[in-house]
Structures are given as C-alpha cells and as structure tokens.
C-alpha cells in the first residue's frame, strides 16, 4: 500500500509568489516542478525555483519581473524559457519560467531526467499537495535514483554525470536499469558542450560526498572522459587524496558535526585550525566563473598530480585563465614545497616562494599525508605536523607584515650606492638577504639595514 503523500514544506517566498500571482489575476495554469519540489519534500531550503507554464512563459516572466522589480534574462526564446532574478532580504532567488513540454503536465514530467525531479505542485492551487505521476516520492523514500523513461539518459548524456552527482548529494543508489543506461550512453557525454560538463562536474566537486561521486564515476567509466589527464595507475591515490581533502575541508568548516571530528587525526587539526577558520572559509568560498569556488578547484587538483596536465584539463573543462593559473600553481607547489619546517626562515621562504597559494599547499599536503598514511598514521609525527601547519598559517594570517612580506627598508638604488656598483646579480642577492634579515628581525630600521648591507660587502 502506498504511503500517504507528504505535504510539501515551502518557504515563505513561494507562498508570497502564489499570493502575488493570484492578486494580479493570473489564471494560466502554473506548476512548481523539478528540484524545488524535491527540496520542499525533503524540507530543505532552495533559492532556485522552476515553474512550468501552460501557455507562453516569457511574457508571464516579464510581467512577474515588473511586479517584483527584478531582473530578467531570456535563456531560450525558441523553447520559451526565461529566468527572473529576485533579491529577497539577503538572498538571491532565481525563478525559471518555461513553456510546458507536451499537451499535459504529466507529458512534461515524463520528459525530465529522474523521478525525484519529476514531481510538481500547483502554484495557483494547493501548493502543499504533491503531484507525482512517476512515483518520485517512493523512490526518494527508498533512497533510489531512477530515470523517468527508458530514453531519458540517451536523450541528454549530461544526465549520466548528473545521476552520479545526485546519488552522491542525496545518498541514493542508482537503480540497475538507470546504471546500465549510463554505462551505455556515457561514451556520448562529450557530445554535450564542455561548459555543461564543467558546471555539472563542479557541482559534484562541491559536495561533502564528492569523493564518493568520483568513485562512482570511475566505476561507470566516466571519470577519465571528464578529466582525460588521469593516469590509471595513479587513480587510486588521487581518489584517496580527494576523499581526505573533502573530509578535511568539512572538518574546518561550519558544516562539521561531532562525528566529522571524532577521529584523532582530524580532531587534532580542527582544534589548532579553529582560530583561522573564518579566513580559511573565505578563501575556499572565493568564486570564479558561474559560481565555481576555490574549494572545488582544490578538489579538482587532487585528480591531476602533474602540472603538465593542467592545460589539457583546463581546456577540456573551459576553465578561466585565473582557474588554470591556480591549478598550475597548486599542482607544481605540491611537488616542490612540502612545507615540512616551521623554522622562521623556512616559513618566510615558503610564503615568499608560494604566496597565498601556500595556504592551498598546506591543506592539500595535510590531506595527502592522511591519505597516504591511513591507519598507519603515527600520532606523534602527526602532532608535530599539525604544529608546523599551525605555525605556518599563524605566520601568514597574523604576522604577514613582519614575517611574510616585510616592507623593504632600502630600495635597489640605495643598495647599489652602498655596494658601489651599477648593476648585477649582487643587487638582487643583497635585497633578498636583507628581506630575510628583516623577516628574522635582524634588521628593523634603515640604519640596521644599511649596516647589514655593509657587512655583506665586507664579507665578500
């Protein structure tokens, strides 16, 4: 016997929108569909609302845009799709209006990807009542991801990647027929635009269970189609690195739970890094094109291992120049800068060589150490490593002006005069030596800097 349908839990904005449309006399049948309905069933907040219009969606979207004093972007004029951007308090909400596909709502829903995304609600009727012709609710209850129709995957191969992302995001099992379709149609994923592949893949990389999704991609034969540079022999290590990075980033974030930090290795790290949490979170949340984050870039870097592969991957995923540069710095930095020492001079040289990329190297290095050591991790060695990490980050965040990048006490011209030469490598060497002396506190005034350079000259 089928369970009674759950009442959908909509946020106030959805109810306010329904009230506005009724007050404005809208009578065209409108239905909330897709991920927004799924999230309302799960009682999760959402800022992305899809609306199917039994009529012309774009003219209605324009009217809603005017009523809400919002902005609009026509995404697909031929298919009748427009997005309205609404600012509500401190939220940015997007309303996607689309012409109904097919003569009935059920026809539209059957054209969608997975049954969990093929549920609907009547926006102008009982908004809390679930419309569920494909039994998406029971699939969700059973934690199963099921395609809407036998041709759903073949109709749009990006759904292969989306299936894995949704299974990881909502802890679902991909049912056998759907998995078989993914294996069969996965070879066609490159027929999809690189931008769509990139955006779906980065959504997966942003999940707490990203590593699980990556492993499923590999089992289904998709991972190396998306990231062509992965060497088969290196793949197990790459996936282990990705998994430990994911748990580490969760542990130092506000998303962590008591279970996240129950283990000794992460627990000790979190205790020490809590003082830097706000700064670390701000860096990891930094966004690039289309909302891609720095944390997602770091997750991608665990799959590369070799800086020589960055250009190939950046091109395949249509990454920005900044993203490609960061990936190059991070992959090269992991090989060249293990950051094992916390001596003051070593700290200065580490940060001088790597700049803010050193933060990424520290996090990736810690994750790599945890991944490679596993159960064999020596607690005393790890405690020393955590202390070194803490001192390095303390230097960057709390002593930047004195340890990382002290303000030069002398100019290159002044050093030339003191050395009595016009130009040459001695100038650069003297400036570098003076910079390190400042970082060590051995030269804190112009007079001390002049004396330091004079001693250099005398020692030659």
């Amino acid at each position: 016997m089928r369970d009674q349908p759950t009442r959908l839990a909509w946020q106030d904005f959805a109810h306010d929108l329904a009230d506005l449309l009724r007050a404005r006399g809208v009578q065209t049948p409108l239905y909330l569909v897709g991920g927004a309905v799924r999230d309302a069933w799960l009682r999760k907040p959402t800022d992305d609302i899809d609306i199917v219009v039994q009529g012309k969606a774009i003219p209605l979207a324009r009217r809603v845009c005017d009523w809400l004093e919002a902005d609009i972007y026509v995404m697909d004029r031929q298919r009748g799709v427009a997005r309205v951007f609404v600012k509500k308090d401190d939220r940015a909400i997007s309303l996607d209006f689309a012409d109904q596909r097919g003569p009935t709502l059920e026809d539209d829903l059957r054209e969608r990807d997975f049954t969990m995304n093929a549920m609907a609600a009547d926006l102008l009727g009982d908004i809390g009542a679930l419309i569920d012709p494909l039994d998406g609710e029971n699939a969700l209850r059973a934690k199963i991801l099921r395609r809407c129709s036998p041709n759903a995957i073949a109709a749009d191969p990006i759904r292969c990647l989306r299936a894995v992302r949704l299974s990881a995001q909502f802890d679902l099992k991909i049912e056998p027929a759907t998995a078989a379709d993914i294996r069969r149609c996965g070879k066609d994923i490159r027929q999809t635009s690189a931008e769509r592949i990139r955006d779906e893949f980065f959504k997966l990389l942003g999940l707490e269970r990203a590593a699980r999704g990556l492993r499923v991609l590999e089992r289904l034969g998709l991972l190396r189609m998306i990231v062509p540079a992965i060497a088969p022999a290196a793949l197990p290590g790459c996936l282990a690195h990705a998994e430990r990075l994911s748990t580490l980033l969760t542990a130092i974030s506000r998303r962590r739970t008591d279970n996240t930090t129950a283990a000794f290795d992460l627990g000790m790290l979190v205790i020490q890094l809590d003082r830097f949490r706000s700064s670390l979170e701000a860096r990891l949340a930094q966004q690039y094109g289309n909302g891609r984050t720095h944390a997602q870039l770091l997750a991608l870097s665990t799959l590369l291992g070799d800086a020589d592969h960055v250009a190939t991957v950046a091109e395949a995923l249509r990454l920005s120049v900044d993203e490609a540069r960061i990936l190059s710095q991070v992959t090269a930095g992991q090989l060249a800068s293990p950051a094992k020492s916390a001596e003051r001079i070593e700290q200065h040289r580490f940060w001088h060589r790597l700049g803010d990329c050193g933060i990424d190297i520290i996090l990736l290095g810690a994750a790599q150490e945890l991944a490679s050591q596993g159960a064999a991790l020596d607690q005393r060695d790890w405690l020393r490593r955590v202390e070194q990490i803490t001192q390095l980050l303390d230097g960057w965040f709390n002593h930047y002006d004195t340890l990382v990048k002290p303000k030069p006490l002398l100019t290159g011209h002044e050093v030339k005069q003191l050395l009595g030469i016009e130009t040459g490598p001695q100038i650069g060497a003297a400036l570098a030596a003076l910079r390190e002396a400042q970082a060590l506190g051995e030269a804190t005034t112009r007079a001390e800097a002049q004396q330091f350079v004079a001693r250099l000259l005398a020692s030659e």
Side-chain angles (χ1 to χ4, degrees), residues 75-94:
M75 301 168 67
D76 190 333
R77 194 174 301 277
Q78 185 175 1
R79 298 181 62 190
V81 182
R83 177 169 294 172
V84 175
F85 301 92
V86 183
K87 292 182 180 179
K88 180 73 171 178
D89 300 325
D90 59 344
R91 297 168 58 198
I93 300 171
S94 65

Side-chain angles (χ1 to χ4, degrees), residues 53-363:
V53 182
Q54 285 187 354
K56 296 297 183 181
I58 293 177
L60 176 61
R62 293 191 188 280
R63 283 186 284 158
V64 172
C65 177
D66 291 339
W67 297 336
L68 294 175
E69 298 181 348
D71 297 309
I72 189 171
Y73 172 65
V74 177
M75 301 168 67
D76 190 333
R77 194 174 301 277
Q78 185 175 1
R79 298 181 62 190
V81 182
R83 177 169 294 172
V84 175
F85 301 92
V86 183
K87 292 182 180 179
K88 180 73 171 178
D89 300 325
D90 59 344
R91 297 168 58 198
I93 300 171
S94 65
L95 305 174
D96 283 4
F97 293 82
D99 292 353
Q100 180 176 283
R101 295 174 287 184
T104 69
L105 174 64
E106 183 170 337
D107 291 325
D108 183 285
L109 296 176
R110 288 189 181 280
E111 289 294 315
R112 295 180 180 272
D113 50 12
F114 307 105
T115 59
M116 66 184 296
N117 293 332
M119 303 185 293
D122 187 346
L123 182 55
L124 298 181
D126 183 356
I127 194 175
L130 180 67
I131 301 171
D132 186 20
L134 302 185
D135 205 23
E137 179 180 24
N138 279 334
L140 270 175
R141 288 186 192 279
K143 308 290 283 184
I144 291 173
L145 184 74
R146 178 178 291 118
R147 57 185 177 29
C148 286
S149 68
N151 68 339
I153 305 299
D156 187 359
I158 195 66
R159 290 171 175 173
C160 296
L161 178 52
R162 187 178 302 147
V164 176
R165 191 258 297 176
L166 291 172
S167 72
Q169 182 174 355
F170 296 102
D171 193 21
L172 307 176
K173 179 181 179 181
I174 302 175
E175 60 102 16
T178 302
D181 286 352
I182 292 171
R183 287 191 176 91
R184 185 176 66 255
C185 300
K187 65 182 184 303
D188 299 324
I189 196 168
R190 276 293 168 192
Q191 295 177 10
T192 306
S193 73
E195 290 79 8
R196 290 185 73 201
I197 295 172
R198 174 200 64 204
D199 292 347
E200 193 65 58
F201 187 54
F202 267 73
K203 287 179 183 178
L204 189 155
L205 292 175
L207 299 178
E208 288 187 38
R209 298 187 182 97
R212 169 186 164 172
L214 293 171
R215 293 183 188 280
V216 175
L217 280 179
E218 172 57 18
R219 286 200 297 270
L220 292 173
L222 294 173
L223 186 55
R224 272 168 282 180
M225 292 185 183
I226 299 166
V227 187
I230 299 179
L235 185 58
C238 290
L239 291 175
H241 191 189
E243 186 167 27
R244 294 307 281 164
L245 178 68
S246 178
T247 56
L248 191 157
L249 296 188
T250 298
I252 63 175
S253 75
R254 288 174 175 80
R255 297 174 296 161
R256 72 172 182 241
T257 65
D258 290 342
N259 288 335
T260 309
T261 56
F264 166 81
D265 51 7
L266 288 180
M268 293 307 303
L269 191 62
V270 166
I271 290 172
Q272 295 299 319
L273 298 194
D274 248 13
R275 70 195 78 175
F276 312 119
R277 187 172 68 177
S278 295
S279 298
L280 291 172
E281 284 188 318
R283 178 169 182 79
L284 294 168
Q286 181 179 340
Q287 293 193 359
Y288 304 95
N290 203 24
R292 298 186 296 278
T293 67
H294 197 78
Q296 291 167 330
L297 271 184
L298 295 190
L300 176 58
S301 77
T302 64
L303 302 177
L304 304 183
D306 189 334
D308 292 339
H309 296 154
V310 169
T312 301
V313 173
E315 174 60 26
L317 295 176
R318 299 293 190 272
L319 300 183
S320 68
V321 172
D322 282 344
E323 288 170 304
R325 173 182 54 79
I326 290 167
L327 279 178
S328 293
Q329 290 175 337
V330 166
T331 51
Q334 287 184 86
L335 296 175
S337 304
K340 291 291 186 182
S341 174
E343 295 294 329
R344 189 175 178 88
I345 187 61
E346 292 303 320
Q347 288 186 59
H348 169 75
R349 289 172 178 170
F350 174 81
W351 292 118
H352 179 74
R353 183 168 62 252
L354 294 170
D356 59 0
C357 177
I359 300 172
D360 308 327
I361 300 302
I362 288 171
L363 297 176

Side-chain angles (χ1 to χ4, degrees), residues 417-456:
Q417 289 182 320
L418 286 168
L419 294 179
I421 59 176
E422 287 299 317
T423 187
Q426 290 174 285
I427 306 299
L431 286 170
L434 177 57
R435 170 175 44 77
E436 292 190 350
Q438 288 184 236
L440 291 171
E442 296 173 354
T444 59
T445 66
R446 281 178 54 82
E448 289 176 347
Q450 290 169 340
Q451 293 170 4
F452 178 84
V453 173
R455 287 197 299 272
L456 284 179

